[in-house]
Amino acid sequence: MEKIAIVTGASRGIGREIAKTLAQKGIKVIANYNKSEEDAKQLKEEMKKENIEIDIYKADVSNREQIKKLVEYTLNKYKKIDILINNAGISEYKLFTEETDEDWNKIINNNLYSAFAMSQEVIPNMIHNKNGCIINISSIWGMVGGSLEVIYSVSKAGMDGLTKALAKELGPSNIRVNSIAPGLINTSMNSNLTYEELKELKDEIPLGKIGNVEDIARCVNWLVNDEFTTGQIISINGGWIIT
Ligand code: NAP
């Protein structure tokens, strides 16, 4: 039976590649986007050329009402949700002393609240089916803390906490919950880094390179097919941090 997956933040970067990979493996994908409608439409067209139909759905996943509509749309059309990838996220570089309440609310809502509320909305269906796989895309900064990215680090550490606690609560319902914590991945999220900065960072990474979106999508594909991994934080970072 065809599996159904929602991927949040699938218009660009890591989420886009996850959506593509899952769709290419025969999973029906609902690719969520918010601001980048043109990119989302392009993704749909790209998939069509491979004879793959995906759904694209606009929703701000920091907003409960819009999340409800996304989940409602999926359940009305496909009757179930097997896989949820909480990927949507934003980042910001700022001195901690300059951070405002607005910064806090914006980052926590986009990165952490979104995963909390998305999970809450899909889990009743997963429990009913006694089947589910939730993957939270967190970050190495949630594990070790990132200077000038304090709120971002808090949001990602929160995601990892959500992963561990939910894995325990939902294990008996055969729902697996894991985090993938990427290191430095080549997407527009890092477009602020100069050539020199990127080179310096590369030198710190034992594998001597920056990751690409395929590195993360491969792990998602593995986790989706696995049956005994839950509550884990899997960090894909070229050896940059080893805990
Ligand atoms: P990206 O290229 O900037 O893409 C971010 C995606 O998130 C976009 O598709 C964007 O959609 C979506 N998004 C943001 N806020 C949203 C919201 N409220 N509702 C719906 N969609 C929303 O970033 P990326 O590098 O692919 O990052 C993806 C995830 O990986 C993030 O959670 C990020 O924190 C994490 N991560 C990235 C790296 C890295 O080095 N790149 C490292 C560690 C972790 P729209 O443009 O349509 O709004």
Side-chain angles (χ1 to χ4, degrees):
M1 198 178 176
E2 188 177 46
K3 283 187 181 170
I4 312 298
I6 297 178
V7 182
T8 70
S11 51
R12 297 183 285 115
I14 293 171
R16 183 188 183 89
E17 188 62 27
I18 293 171
K20 266 175 69 176
T21 301
L22 295 184
Q24 285 164 341
K25 300 287 177 191
I27 293 170
K28 178 57 73 182
V29 169
I30 295 84
N32 156 252
Y33 66 96
N34 186 26
K35 294 179 184 153
S36 306
E37 182 148 278
E38 270 318 301
D39 291 321
K41 283 183 178 163
Q42 266 177 27
L43 172 64
K44 189 173 169 63
E45 284 311 306
E46 217 178 288
M47 292 285 88
K48 217 176 241 171
K49 286 189 192 138
E50 297 180 30
N51 287 322
I52 297 169
E53 267 305 322
I54 67 160
D55 291 60
I56 56 171
Y57 194 94
K58 178 174 165 58
D60 174 354
V61 293
S62 67
N63 178 300
R64 175 74 74 165
E65 284 317 304
Q66 295 188 34
I67 287 175
K68 278 183 186 286
K69 285 188 182 144
L70 163 62
V71 173
E72 225 173 76
Y73 167 85
T74 309
L75 288 177
N76 281 339
K77 191 160 176 185
Y78 298 109
K79 313 297 171 212
K80 63 170 186 151
I81 297 164
D82 302 289
I83 299 158
L84 168 64
I85 316 292
N86 285 315
N87 164 79
I90 56 170
S91 64
E92 191 174 63
Y93 294 86
K94 242 189 193 183
L95 273 177
F96 182 62
T97 46
E98 288 173 6
E99 297 279 16
T100 61
D101 286 357
E102 285 72 34
D103 292 324
W104 174 271
N105 290 333
K106 189 175 69 187
I107 297 169
I108 296 296
N109 286 341
N110 275 287
N111 295 2
L112 181 56
Y113 173 79
S114 58
F116 156 73
M118 277 298 310
S119 302
Q120 263 194 338
E121 295 300 329
V122 305
I123 281 167
N125 180 264
M126 290 180 170
I127 291 177
H128 178 262
N129 297 330
K130 277 218 160 250
N131 172 56
C133 172
I134 299 175
I135 301 174
N136 294 319
I137 307 298
S138 57
S139 163
I140 53 166
W141 301 137
M143 301 168 77
V144 298
S147 173
L148 298 177
E149 292 191 89
V150 172
I151 304 176
Y152 181 80
S153 301
V154 171
S155 73
K156 297 301 186 175
M159 272 185 128
D160 289 347
L162 181 75
T163 290
K164 291 176 189 174
L166 261 186
K168 288 186 179 173
E169 194 166 321
L170 298 177
S173 299
N174 192 34
I175 299 166
R176 295 177 301 109
V177 189
N178 291 286
S179 283
I180 295 178
L184 188 62
I185 306 296
N186 187 15
T187 71
S188 58
M189 190 168 268
N190 296 310
S191 56
N192 59 318
L193 295 171
T194 63
Y195 176 80
E196 285 71 30
E197 284 169 331
L198 284 172
K199 190 178 173 315
E200 267 175 39
L201 290 170
K202 251 193 240 175
D203 291 343
E204 288 177 23
I205 299 172
L207 286 181
K209 59 180 182 179
I210 290 164
N212 54 46
V213 291
E214 289 85 358
D215 293 316
I216 307 303
R218 257 195 307 277
C219 184
V220 168
N221 182 48
W222 172 75
L223 267 178
V224 159
N225 289 297
D226 178 77
E227 293 181 359
F228 199 49
T229 306
T230 197
Q232 304 306 308
I233 316 301
I234 302 169
S235 190
I236 299 182
N237 63 49
W240 200 13
I241 64 145
I242 298 175
T243 55

